[in-house]
């Protein structure tokens, strides 16, 4: 058994999102980051309900700068990083 295999087997309860949350340059996400995560969840909900007209443009710009949302052919889409942020936020609320 390889070292990496034995290491992963020694931690059967490891959860990649819970145990390795989105890395913040300063460590644990700040209250501001947590607030942004919640706002991203709200924005994604509005996008899924086709209510992009209700989104705050400044927040959209902030989410795009962070790489959580991206423009794709005139449509706003969730990026893989944004999906990870949403998963982390949802786990925090669970």
């Amino acid at each position: 058994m390889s070292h990496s295999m034995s290491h992963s087997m020694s931690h059967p309860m490891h959860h990649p999102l819970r145990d390795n949350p989105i890395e913040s340059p300063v460590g644990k996400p700040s209250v501001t980051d947590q607030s942004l995560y919640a706002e991203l969840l709200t924005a994604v909900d509005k996008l899924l309900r086709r209510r992009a007209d209700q989104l705050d443009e400044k927040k959209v710009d902030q989410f795009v700068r962070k790489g959580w949302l991206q423009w794709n052919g005139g449509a706003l889409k969730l990026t893989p990083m944004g999906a990870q942020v949403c998963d982390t936020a949802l786990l925090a609320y669970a």
Side-chain angles (χ1 to χ4, degrees), residues 18-50:
R18 183 186 65 234
D19 298 339
N20 297 309
I22 305 283
E23 295 294 327
S24 171
V26 293
K28 187 175 180 179
S30 69
V31 172
T32 302
D33 287 340
Q34 291 173 358
S35 176
L36 278 176
Y37 295 172
E39 291 174 12
L40 179 63
L41 288 174
T42 300
V44 169
D45 179 62
K46 288 178 181 178
L47 289 173
L48 291 172
R49 291 185 293 119
R50 300 184 183 272

Side-chain angles (χ1 to χ4, degrees), residues 24-86:
S24 171
V26 293
K28 187 175 180 179
S30 69
V31 172
T32 302
D33 287 340
Q34 291 173 358
S35 176
L36 278 176
Y37 295 172
E39 291 174 12
L40 179 63
L41 288 174
T42 300
V44 169
D45 179 62
K46 288 178 181 178
L47 289 173
L48 291 172
R49 291 185 293 119
R50 300 184 183 272
R51 297 309 317 224
D53 60 308
Q54 296 178 347
L55 294 175
D56 179 313
E57 289 183 35
K58 290 181 181 178
K59 287 293 175 196
V60 169
D61 291 343
Q62 190 173 17
F63 297 148
V64 169
R65 279 193 309 273
K66 287 186 166 290
W68 298 349
L69 296 176
Q70 68 181 12
W71 289 102
N72 185 357
L76 199 54
K77 304 285 184 179
L78 186 64
T79 66
M81 184 189 314
Q84 185 179 7
V85 170
C86 288

